[in-house]
Amino acid sequence: MDTDEDVEGNTRLVYVRFVTKLDDPFKVPDTQLGLPSNITRLGLSTVVNNVLQSGRDNWRHEPFDFLINGELVRMSLEEFLLAKGISAEKVLEIEYIKAVAPRKQEEPSFHDDWVSAVDGSNPGFILTGCYDALGRVWKAAGLCTHILEGHSDAVTSVSIVKPKDVENDTGALVATASKDKTLRLWMFDAEESRGDPSKIRAYKTLRGHNASVQSIAAQPSGDMVCSGSWDCRINLWQTKESDAGASVSIKKRKKGSHDGESQSEGEAVSTLVGHTQCVSSVVWPQHGTIYSASWDHSIRRWDAETGNESLNTFCGKVINCIDIGGESSVLIAAGGSDPILRIWDPRKPGTSAPIFQLSSHASWISACKWHKESWFHLLSASYDGKIMLWDLRTAWPLAVIDSHKDKVLCADWWKGDSVISGGVDSKLCISSEISVK
Amino acid sequence: KKRFQRLHLLAAWIELQEAFLSALVSDNGDVMEEEIRGPVETGGSTSTFNTAWISRKGSFKIDRTLRELGSGLSDILGDEGVANTSDGDGSSNDGGGDLSEGDQSESEEFAQGVEESDSSEDEVAPRNTIGDVPFEWYKDEEHIGYNISGKKLKKKERQDKLDSFLASADDPNGWRKVMDEPNDEVVQLTKQEVKMICKVLKGKAPHKDFDPYSPYIDWFKMDAKHPLSSAPEPKRRFVLSKWENEKVVKLVRAIRKGLIKFDKPKEKPGVYDLWGDDSSSMEKAGHGLAYIPAPKPKLPGHEESYNPSLEYIPTQEEINSYQLLFEEDRPKFIPKQVVIHLHLLRFTSLRSVPAYENYVIESFERCLDLYMCPRARKKRINIDPESLKPKLPSRKDLKPYPTICYLEYRGHTGPVMSISTESSGQWIASGSSDGTVRIWEVETGRCLRVWELGEPVRHVSWNPSSDIPILAVSAGLDVFLLNAGLEDEERKMINKLLHIETSMAPDDTGKISSIVSWDQDDNHEGIRLKHFKTVSSVEWHRKGDYFSTVMPSDILSLCIMWLAEEPSDSNECFLRAILIHQLSKKSTQRIPFKLHGLPVSSAFHPTRSVFFVSTKKNVRVYDLLKQKLIKKLETGAREVSSIAIHPGGDNVIVGTREGKMCWFDMDLSSQPYRILKCHSKDINSVAFHRSYPLFASCSDDSTAYIFHGMVYSDLNQNPLVVPLEILRGHASANGRGVMDCKFHPRQPWLFIAGADSVQSDSDRSVMKTISALGRFCKDDRKISGGCGGGFTDVYSPGNHWLAISCSEVFLSSPIVVVEKIHPIEISEAVSVAARGSARVIEAAEADRAAIVHRRAIVCLTLLIYNRKARRGCGAFRVSLIRRLLRVGSYAGDGIASFGDGNWVPLDGIRVSILSVS
């Protein structure tokens, strides 16, 4: 190849071939390139962009990330090869993907108090919980459509139970948990939007905990929710039961009446007992399986049908957040009272040691979420005010989102390409255009 | 008369002898005298015997002289004796014979000297043949001996001594008469004889014919021939024998044959000149080439003895390496060389070799060794110093424990004095001297509630029961019971609990209610317990119904009691220092124990009905059911500041104001099991973790220490105490550091309240910060120490007692400064002085004797005189104090007269006096 001439005499050349799984406009011709061995990710990205640009006009520069043998390149090529013991004599096959980093920072959406919970599982809207005891629904950055009013204390956790049900015309169903020991279910039509945010009252109040409810999670089907509380218990609740009541409340809301008596109350279907301290986080990734994390340093898996405990992992630290995802959606990511994000693989028999420990944060981790589609990507939020995007193929964070001034209390993915987060600075920040494959 | 004469003669003779002998043996004079005297006294012994005896004692020299003399004398006498015998009859009694006899015997004596030999009587045969035997043997016999023919010699008729003496005195020749004992006759010395004796005595020749130079004949000459045979020598003695001849012939033949050689060849000398010049051996190598001998090294000379060769001088590296050796392994002496201009030079002469520098030291040490006699061999023990360290488990094995600060709880504007965690660990309450009490969410650091109490908060304590979230807060003079419920129903329930029927008149309960009154406080949704003075700490019983309050007793309370005309029993006051309140009945009781000392804090046993009261020096443990003292723990410290009970209940840690922490094992003894000296300043608080084996202390040096404190269920095993970590995170402010520390009830987290204005949470720890209290009484130089509250010091100038205590000093808030007197001397209180800048005492109401001023420091000083002094100024009595308290107004700096008496302040203390209006 002619590119040899560009290279300075005293640096070695590494012959590489770029491959990708990306679609056509990002594909480079299958040719060998001789590159200086001290080239870094930025250099590789520039080379690929130059190659791509040479084929097309008006090419927009696109940052790429590079994988060698399934690991992301985070140092110079030479160092990487040395560290991994890969021969530089052969033609190196480098796969490139689009770099995972937010390209756009949306305007922050201001709350009246600390934002304690956020849920972005529905691409249509964002649900947030706040310390002023209100839940809010945001259609986009700065555009609040609904206010969920009814809790008497700070909302600690929110969950979108069911997106809009077109068949029954019932609107979206969401659930919130609060320090006032109750959970509330809300139903609204996310589509409708007026100038002012409309206030909604809960159609159902779930009582049963006798301490602050710390977390809530909904069954994928949306029929049930589970909640973890300071009273060390996990309660399972029905959401369906009183459709009538729900419709009533909608009617009432339409009338503009704020009569609380119309709210129906629900009781726990069953209770999972086992934790000895506050259940700080619950997730319900599959129909019959609930994962819970607690201040008693354990992560447990429950069978939702029988209420039996099927897994108990001991961590040694207080765990504040947990999420299930990754490879075949079974990896457990959890963060807590230390700056380390740990990932367990429950399929590995006989060990409770985490398979990954990601430690770039400086303070407690308050939230962690797997990307819904990717096997490798997850985010974590910490009290040091940073949100980090991780790829399991490297130990370094892919990107650090530094949009909050103070502790970040919650974060989530939204629409597959955005990160939404809320924190002590009472802001909901949206970082968008993250190109996770 | 004759006898007398004889005696006289004898004496004279003896005198003569004496003089003679003393001239010869003057050295032995004393001995002589004594020996001589004896015979004189006995009188019976003869002079010859005496002389013999004397000469025996004398020296050999005398002997010789006497012998010569005697021999000469005997010659003469012999001649005479012969003459005498020739002309006189043998057995006659005449004087001549007598004399010769006597002389002869005398000469015998002289001649024989020491030997007393009897072999010298050759010339004149004695008539008596008994020989030399003592005459005593014949004392009782008729005869005196035997003559030569064997016949007995009869004793003569003897005069008695007196008669003979008289006879000799009458006799003009009596002095010449001498007794011849062996022959038993008296001999008269002739004139010639006497003359001879006199000559001898004078040392002259005895008579004319005496030849002093007679030739000496040596009769026993060795070469004197003893001609045994006069026959001439036989020939054969001079002629060779036959065999000898043969031998000679043999030799002659051998010589002739040459077998025997007489000229031996000369032997070559076996030495050669080692040091000689080699040039002489040039011819050794005569191969044409010139032989050049190898150069000889210089022979070692004298200077080599003080200049060691180079290989013996250590290099610098070697000298350095000696430092690594043990001192005893190091070489004793390192040879040196002169270093001049970086060149090693040899010593040019022995004179320039320096003296051995350790000479004096070593000789001194040697002397010292000898003097001290360290005979025991010194043994170096090779012990690894690491092995001497106590075997402590590694810190990694003791995880988890707090290490890093992760969370800060910000919001207070003043120093955070106290924190308390809720039993579930979800919330934490903090009280600050900015007058607020706040509740925080532990997880996020969110402040949930704020109470504005208006007065600086000293202590907060959360009810240990999780069902009744009540916060007990001591602020100012009051204790508040606050409703900390976060939810409506809970609040209603608590409100019901905290409701007081107004019918409960506080006066019903008598005296105590005048100290503590339960009032409904609507502002803060709680109960206000009015105490008569500052409450320093509030502690709950585990069940959450009882709680105790500690008011450090001080002079103010005494003043109040006096004002209230109560019996001024000081113990009464101390009894009220600790009160136990019951929440459900809204009642207060004092503890039924007599306290010895000033109470500092109190605590309930975590499981049993046991109550701990820590006074300034000791910790007393009471059984509340039996109402008696169980144990007294002696801290040995000067001032205790805080106490914490292990959740097991058998171990207690006590923090002191000296920075020490004492761990007591109550099962072991009343002495501390361990004393941990860790802090450089006052320890403000100590805490045990409820479930982890951890305990912590925090101090004014802005640090908190974490310790591992494992208490084993096995009673034989002592608790294990391991220091783990020093937590820093708070800045020191006005001399105060970390004010309080509490563990999270379930997690290994520590909360620390600091005196700066930040609140932080470590991985495990939350810290609160507090701005500090000002030091007080700066200008009273004797008053020092922890002025943050409580008793400060006792000042005793000379005979006087002055004790000062400040219960509270706050610079921007109501200031109550109370002075304290020695409890023994209370009745002798004399005067009160106040110092400040404005009006001092507003109110001295009987119920709440707050001596309060809003802007200034008020200092009441009680000066107590001893009895003599009190007599001197008797006007200053307690009654004066009362009057002062009621109507006092500030008089000004300096000394003012008191109206009805003269007041003389103590040295060194500026005293301002209230004037009596």
Side-chain angles (χ1 to χ4, degrees):
Chain A
M1 282 258 120
D2 294 347
T3 43
D4 296 14
E5 296 153 14
D6 311 339
V7 180
E8 288 172 26
N10 52 356
T11 50
R12 294 185 56 188
L13 283 187
V14 179
Y15 288 92
V16 302
R17 199 172 67 227
F18 289 105
V19 294
T20 184
K21 290 172 187 164
L22 295 172
D23 291 335
D24 185 38
F26 297 110
K27 273 215 165 91
V28 292
D30 185 13
T31 49
Q32 278 187 23
L33 292 170
L35 297 178
S37 61
N38 58 357
I39 196 166
T40 58
R41 186 207 66 87
L42 184 64
L44 288 169
S45 185
T46 316
V47 167
V48 172
N49 269 303
N50 285 340
V51 171
L52 288 172
Q53 195 174 13
S54 64
R56 297 162 193 81
D57 300 334
N58 59 30
W59 173 257
R60 237 180 87 215
H61 194 272
E62 177 74 33
F64 289 104
D65 239 334
F66 297 89
L67 287 159
I68 299 174
N69 291 356
E71 279 191 78
L72 283 169
V73 179
R74 276 292 174 270
M75 34 191 147
S76 76
L77 211 50
E78 186 176 26
E79 288 171 33
F80 184 89
L81 295 182
L82 278 175
K84 304 296 174 188
I86 301 169
S87 165
E89 304 296 322
K90 289 191 285 184
V91 176
L92 201 60
E93 196 163 279
I94 300 182
E95 185 186 352
Y96 61 95
I97 52 174
K98 282 186 181 175
V100 176
R103 288 159 179 76
K104 193 175 159 194
Q105 196 70 41
E106 312 259 346
E107 277 296 303
S109 314
F110 287 100
H111 290 66
D112 295 337
D113 211 333
W114 297 9
V115 181
S116 60
V118 66
D119 191 345
S121 59
N122 190 322
F125 58 92
I126 301 166
L127 179 63
T128 62
C130 179
Y131 265 82
D132 60 2
L134 300 176
R136 287 182 176 82
V137 177
W138 305 82
K139 193 144 184 126
L143 183 58
C144 178
T145 55
H146 299 85
I147 291 177
L148 313 177
E149 199 178 63
H151 280 296
S152 61
D153 208 335
V155 176
T156 54
S157 181
V158 294
S159 174
I160 298 171
V161 180
K162 235 188 255 183
K164 185 181 177 184
D165 193 342
V166 185
E167 294 171 12
N168 297 340
D169 191 27
T170 51
L173 180 65
V174 299
T176 58
S178 163
K179 285 190 195 296
D180 65 2
K181 306 180 182 176
T182 63
L183 291 89
R184 280 164 208 256
L185 297 175
W186 320 76
M187 197 174 282
F188 57 91
D189 188 0
E191 298 298 313
E192 67 171 303
S193 64
R194 288 175 290 173
D196 294 334
S198 56
K199 295 195 172 176
I200 303 172
R201 297 196 60 81
Y203 83 90
K204 194 170 174 185
T205 307
L206 307 175
R207 294 180 198 277
H209 284 296
N210 45 23
S212 313
V213 186
Q214 196 66 16
S215 60
I216 188 169
Q219 202 181 17
S221 67
D223 295 334
M224 293 180 82
V225 291
C226 66
S227 62
S229 159
W230 270 93
D231 60 7
C232 315
R233 286 183 288 186
I234 302 166
N235 281 2
L236 305 185
W237 318 79
Q238 282 283 359
T239 58
K240 267 186 187 171
E241 197 185 6
S242 52
D243 284 344
S247 62
V248 167
S249 81
I250 290 167
K251 277 176 196 165
K252 298 260 179 186
R253 178 184 54 74
K254 280 176 181 168
K255 282 177 204 160
S257 159
H258 292 277
D259 196 352
E261 286 167 18
S262 65
Q263 289 179 14
S264 64
E265 299 214 346
E267 289 197 354
V269 179
S270 68
T271 302
L272 309 177
V273 181
H275 282 295
T276 57
Q277 286 189 49
C278 156
V279 181
S280 54
S281 182
V282 287
V283 279
W284 200 335
Q286 286 147 24
H287 181 77
T289 318
I290 296 171
Y291 289 86
S292 67
S294 163
W295 278 36
D296 64 7
H297 308 172
S298 68
I299 296 169
R300 296 172 198 230
R301 186 172 65 197
W302 310 83
D303 191 323
E305 306 289 332
T306 61
N308 289 336
E309 185 185 309
S310 58
L311 179 81
N312 188 347
T313 305
F314 184 75
C315 165
K317 303 275 178 188
V318 162
I319 302 169
N320 283 325
C321 55
I322 184 179
D323 197 22
I324 310 296
E327 188 183 349
S328 64
S329 296
V330 290
L331 297 186
I332 305 169
S337 67
D338 64 346
I340 301 171
L341 179 67
R342 294 180 176 81
I343 293 162
W344 285 268
D345 189 348
R347 296 167 300 180
K348 265 194 178 176
T351 174
S352 64
I355 54 168
F356 291 108
Q357 298 205 18
L358 308 172
S359 50
S360 286
H361 280 296
S363 188
W364 288 10
I365 292 172
S366 53
C368 61
K369 289 278 180 188
W370 288 94
H371 193 268
K372 283 283 176 289
E373 285 127 38
S374 166
W375 277 14
F376 306 111
H377 292 92
L378 74 160
L379 66 82
S380 67
S382 163
Y383 283 173
D384 60 6
K386 287 173 181 149
I387 300 154
M388 292 187 180
L389 303 180
W390 300 90
D391 191 315
L392 289 190
R393 293 170 290 191
T394 183
W396 281 270
L398 296 177
V400 177
I401 303 171
D402 209 352
S403 53
H404 286 281
K405 298 261 184 321
D406 208 336
K407 299 176 195 125
V408 185
L409 298 177
C410 53
D412 199 0
W413 296 95
W414 188 44
K415 294 189 203 165
D417 68 341
S418 302
V419 168
I420 50 178
S421 60
V424 170
D425 53 2
S426 307
K427 286 193 293 192
L428 171 71
C429 290
I430 305 173
S431 308
S432 59
E433 293 186 18
I434 302 169
S435 52
V436 181
K437 168 206 68 173
Chain B
K1 197 181 174 181
K2 265 188 180 175
R3 269 178 125 179
F4 179 74
Q5 275 183 337
R6 240 191 123 80
L7 273 177
H8 184 74
L9 180 72
L10 193 68
W13 172 238
I14 289 168
E15 252 180 30
L16 202 77
Q17 280 187 329
E18 216 174 306
F20 169 60
L21 284 173
S22 67
L24 288 172
V25 272
S26 59
D27 346 12
N28 295 5
D30 287 354
V31 182
M32 302 288 179
E33 207 172 47
E34 225 175 78
E35 301 306 330
I36 288 162
R37 201 175 296 137
V40 175
E41 279 162 6
T42 51
S45 56
T46 58
S47 60
T48 50
F49 188 71
N50 274 331
T51 41
W53 201 67
I54 287 162
S55 63
R56 194 183 299 148
K57 292 261 174 185
S59 64
F60 181 69
K61 194 180 168 187
I62 304 168
D63 253 344
R64 288 289 297 267
T65 326
L66 284 177
R67 190 175 302 198
E68 283 172 14
L69 202 77
S71 63
L73 195 63
S74 64
D75 284 349
I76 304 154
L77 290 179
D79 293 345
E80 242 185 53
V82 171
N84 278 348
T85 44
S86 60
D87 56 23
D89 55 352
S91 61
S92 71
N93 252 349
D94 69 46
D98 279 340
L99 185 73
S100 73
E101 287 266 339
D103 277 349
Q104 193 185 7
S105 74
E106 193 173 315
S107 71
E108 251 175 48
E109 293 295 334
F110 277 123
Q112 282 159 22
V114 180
E115 290 88 15
E116 288 185 8
S117 152
D118 52 351
S119 64
S120 61
E121 326 224 354
D122 299 329
E123 294 141 1
V124 183
R127 280 163 289 174
N128 190 351
T129 58
I130 56 165
D132 191 18
V133 295
F135 295 117
E136 285 100 343
W137 292 2
Y138 296 91
K139 210 166 69 181
D140 300 321
E141 302 291 331
E142 296 248 318
H143 59 282
I144 198 171
Y146 305 92
N147 65 5
I148 195 136
S149 56
K151 286 179 181 167
K152 283 183 183 173
L153 293 174
K154 293 270 170 113
K155 270 190 189 171
K156 286 182 186 137
E157 186 78 22
R158 266 204 145 157
Q159 291 176 308
D160 59 7
K161 294 238 162 134
L162 193 60
D163 286 348
S164 59
F165 176 70
L166 289 174
S168 67
D170 291 344
D171 192 356
N173 293 328
W175 62 276
R176 287 195 229 182
K177 287 180 179 166
V178 169
M179 182 72 179
D180 183 11
E181 196 95 46
N183 300 321
D184 196 23
E185 54 190 7
V186 175
V187 183
Q188 187 174 0
L189 300 177
T190 61
K191 230 182 198 174
Q192 284 175 326
E193 284 170 333
V194 170
K195 213 181 266 177
M196 224 168 358
I197 290 172
C198 288
K199 276 188 179 173
V200 166
L201 287 176
K202 283 176 187 166
K204 296 175 180 172
H207 51 92
K208 273 186 213 161
D209 302 325
F210 177 71
D211 181 14
Y213 305 110
S214 60
Y216 174 73
I217 301 154
D218 191 0
W219 298 104
F220 303 102
K221 225 161 80 178
M222 289 305 289
D223 57 352
K225 281 193 177 170
H226 295 272
L228 296 177
S229 165
S230 55
E233 293 256 320
K235 189 188 173 184
R236 63 178 177 273
R237 290 189 188 164
F238 307 102
V239 179
L240 290 174
S241 69
K242 184 185 170 188
W243 299 106
E244 283 169 337
N245 257 334
E246 280 182 13
K247 219 163 198 172
V248 169
V249 168
K250 257 186 187 173
L251 283 172
V252 169
R253 278 184 189 148
I255 289 166
R256 279 186 191 155
K257 283 180 180 173
L259 296 174
I260 298 171
K261 285 178 182 173
F262 293 101
D263 47 344
K264 285 184 180 172
K266 255 193 177 177
E267 279 185 21
K268 285 182 181 174
V271 292
Y272 65 95
D273 187 5
L274 177 65
W275 312 111
D277 198 1
D278 249 359
S279 56
S280 61
S281 58
M282 285 277 276
E283 59 271 18
K284 276 180 191 168
H287 304 299
L289 283 173
Y291 172 73
I292 303 167
K296 286 255 175 192
K298 199 191 159 200
L299 295 179
H302 174 245
E303 69 268 20
E304 268 71 18
S305 64
Y306 50 82
N307 275 323
S309 54
L310 272 180
E311 63 260 32
Y312 294 114
I313 296 173
T315 60
Q316 193 57 44
E317 292 93 56
E318 283 172 326
I319 291 172
N320 293 342
S321 71
Y322 293 154
Q323 301 300 316
L324 301 175
L325 296 174
F326 281 112
E327 201 171 332
E328 290 156 43
D329 291 343
R330 277 179 214 158
K332 295 280 181 292
F333 175 73
I334 300 168
K336 280 177 196 164
Q337 281 196 324
V338 201
V339 179
I340 298 170
H341 302 307
L342 299 172
H343 290 290
L344 283 179
L345 296 181
R346 296 162 72 85
F347 294 114
T348 51
S349 63
L350 185 57
R351 194 177 55 230
S352 63
V353 176
Y356 178 46
E357 68 265 31
N358 289 334
Y359 175 73
V360 176
I361 297 170
E362 281 183 2
S363 32
F364 171 73
E365 279 175 354
R366 174 69 184 146
C367 292
L368 207 61
D369 275 358
L370 292 173
Y371 174 62
M372 300 293 193
C373 290
R375 290 289 178 258
R377 194 181 155 81
K378 241 191 237 171
K379 231 179 190 178
R380 191 175 68 217
I381 313 168
N382 273 322
I383 297 181
D384 184 15
E386 290 294 316
S387 69
L388 293 177
K389 284 187 189 167
K391 297 273 181 301
L392 287 181
S394 116
R395 294 201 303 171
K396 277 181 188 171
D397 304 338
L398 302 177
K399 280 183 177 178
Y401 56 86
T403 49
I404 312 166
C405 173
Y406 281 125
L407 276 180
E408 294 185 348
Y409 300 82
R410 292 170 184 267
H412 278 296
T413 54
V416 181
M417 299 300 290
S418 174
I419 46 179
S420 177
T421 52
E422 194 248 350
S423 60
S424 69
Q426 193 177 1
W427 293 297
I428 182 169
S430 66
S432 159
S433 59
D434 63 1
T436 59
V437 173
R438 286 167 187 260
I439 291 182
W440 310 82
E441 189 182 19
V442 167
E443 187 190 352
T444 55
R446 163 98 184 177
C447 177
L448 294 175
R449 287 193 68 175
V450 182
W451 286 275
E452 292 275 352
L453 294 180
E455 285 186 276
V457 178
R458 284 292 298 273
H459 200 260
V460 292
S461 180
W462 208 302
N463 192 319
S465 164
S466 56
D467 300 333
I468 24 178
I470 292 176
L471 210 53
V473 178
S474 83
L477 296 179
D478 302 327
V479 171
F480 292 92
L481 296 178
L482 301 175
N483 182 353
L486 294 168
E487 191 214 3
D488 292 340
E489 288 174 29
E490 207 172 52
R491 282 177 174 230
K492 278 175 200 162
M493 191 261 291
I494 299 297
N495 273 342
K496 209 181 271 180
L497 192 65
L498 292 179
H499 182 68
I500 295 176
E501 293 95 42
T502 45
S503 63
M504 266 182 66
D507 293 336
D508 295 348
T509 46
K511 229 194 279 174
I512 299 169
S513 63
S514 69
I515 300 169
V516 178
S517 61
W518 294 66
D519 294 343
Q520 191 75 43
D521 189 353
D522 295 328
N523 294 339
H524 306 114
E525 296 180 333
I527 298 177
R528 182 186 188 116
L529 280 81
K530 290 188 174 175
H531 287 64
F532 59 86
K533 62 193 166 68
T534 314
V535 176
S536 68
S537 79
V538 183
E539 293 290 336
W540 285 92
H541 185 248
R542 67 180 187 282
K543 285 176 181 160
D545 193 17
Y546 291 94
F547 62 98
S548 69
T549 57
V550 176
M551 294 172 283
S553 68
D554 45 42
I555 192 58
L556 185 56
S557 59
L558 295 171
C559 293
I560 280 60
M561 287 195 314
W562 291 325
L563 289 167
E565 300 293 342
E566 285 176 13
S568 60
D569 179 10
S570 60
N571 283 325
E572 181 82 2
C573 173
F574 292 126
L575 282 184
R576 294 175 193 201
I578 296 182
L579 300 172
I580 294 180
H581 312 270
Q582 191 179 7
L583 178 64
S584 55
K585 289 183 182 168
K586 316 282 188 295
S587 67
T588 298
Q589 50 184 308
R590 69 183 72 163
I591 56 162
F593 317 111
K594 189 177 177 186
L595 285 175
H596 302 270
L598 307 165
V600 174
S601 63
S602 65
F604 286 97
H605 192 279
T607 49
R608 284 179 283 148
S609 62
V610 172
F611 190 55
F612 295 81
V613 175
S614 79
T615 59
K616 283 215 183 287
K617 308 241 176 206
N618 302 319
V619 175
R620 284 159 187 276
V621 188
Y622 298 102
D623 191 327
L624 287 173
L625 289 181
K626 293 177 186 166
Q627 300 213 338
K628 69 172 187 187
L629 180 73
I630 300 172
K631 212 173 175 76
K632 182 179 157 194
L633 306 175
E634 289 156 9
T635 61
R638 202 155 41 81
E639 197 171 351
V640 172
S641 63
S642 53
I643 177 174
I645 321 290
H646 187 266
D650 282 341
N651 293 277
V652 177
I653 47 173
V654 171
T656 69
R657 296 221 179 272
E658 292 123 82
K660 284 181 193 162
M661 192 160 42
C662 306
W663 175 295
F664 288 96
D665 191 332
M666 303 241 295
D667 295 333
L668 281 180
S669 79
S670 60
Q671 300 293 324
Y673 160 64
R674 286 263 188 284
I675 295 180
L676 306 165
K677 173 99 188 73
C678 41
H679 291 289
S680 58
K681 289 185 182 171
D682 306 6
I683 290 179
N684 284 320
S685 175
V686 290
F688 265 113
H689 198 281
R690 210 193 279 174
S691 48
Y692 286 92
L694 294 173
F695 65 98
S697 67
C698 65
S699 153
D700 275 346
D701 58 8
S702 303
T703 60
Y705 280 67
I706 306 286
F707 299 90
H708 175 86
M710 188 67 181
V711 176
Y712 299 96
S713 52
D714 177 14
L715 289 177
N716 290 327
Q717 209 165 353
N718 282 331
L720 174 71
V721 178
V722 185
L724 291 176
E725 192 78 32
I726 304 173
L727 299 179
R728 298 170 208 279
H730 284 293
S732 160
N734 291 342
R736 306 313 301 272
V738 182
M739 299 304 294
D740 198 2
C741 62
K742 285 281 186 317
F743 277 104
H744 190 277
R746 291 179 177 178
Q747 303 297 339
W749 301 343
L750 183 73
F751 302 90
I752 310 173
D756 49 359
S757 280
V758 192
Q759 225 177 9
S760 38
D761 168 11
S762 345
D763 162 21
R764 305 136 195 239
S765 53
V766 182
M767 315 188 181
K768 273 244 154 163
T769 56
I770 310 185
S771 64
L773 295 172
R775 288 266 167 176
F776 170 57
C777 295
K778 290 251 167 65
D779 51 348
D780 289 352
R781 50 196 159 93
K782 287 282 180 177
I783 300 165
S784 59
C787 287
F791 188 76
T792 55
D793 212 340
V794 173
Y795 180 69
S796 59
N799 288 330
H800 314 297
W801 282 94
L802 166 65
I804 297 179
S805 130
C806 342
S807 74
E808 282 295 323
V809 187
F810 292 113
L811 290 174
S812 58
S813 55
I815 293 157
V816 182
V817 180
V818 181
E819 306 314 334
K820 153 150 286 210
I821 55 175
H822 195 277
I824 305 162
E825 302 281 344
I826 278 170
S827 59
E828 299 183 7
V830 176
S831 179
V832 174
R835 180 164 56 91
S837 61
R839 282 174 63 233
V840 174
I841 298 163
E842 193 60 54
E845 289 101 8
D847 58 344
R848 296 188 52 200
I851 302 175
V852 169
H853 190 263
R854 287 269 160 191
R855 277 182 295 274
I857 295 173
V858 180
C859 169
L860 290 177
T861 312
L862 273 179
L863 304 174
I864 303 150
Y865 282 79
N866 60 12
R867 289 186 178 276
K868 274 183 189 169
R870 191 183 60 167
R871 265 184 226 124
C873 41
F876 303 98
R877 291 284 178 100
V878 178
S879 58
L880 270 183
I881 299 172
R882 296 182 191 158
R883 280 160 57 195
L884 272 174
L885 289 174
R886 282 203 196 94
V887 285
S889 63
Y890 182 66
D893 246 357
I895 299 155
S897 72
F898 224 124
D900 53 347
N902 290 320
W903 161 251
V904 183
L906 298 174
D907 271 346
I909 296 183
R910 295 172 59 208
V911 186
S912 312
I913 301 212
L914 305 168
S915 68
V916 183
S917 63

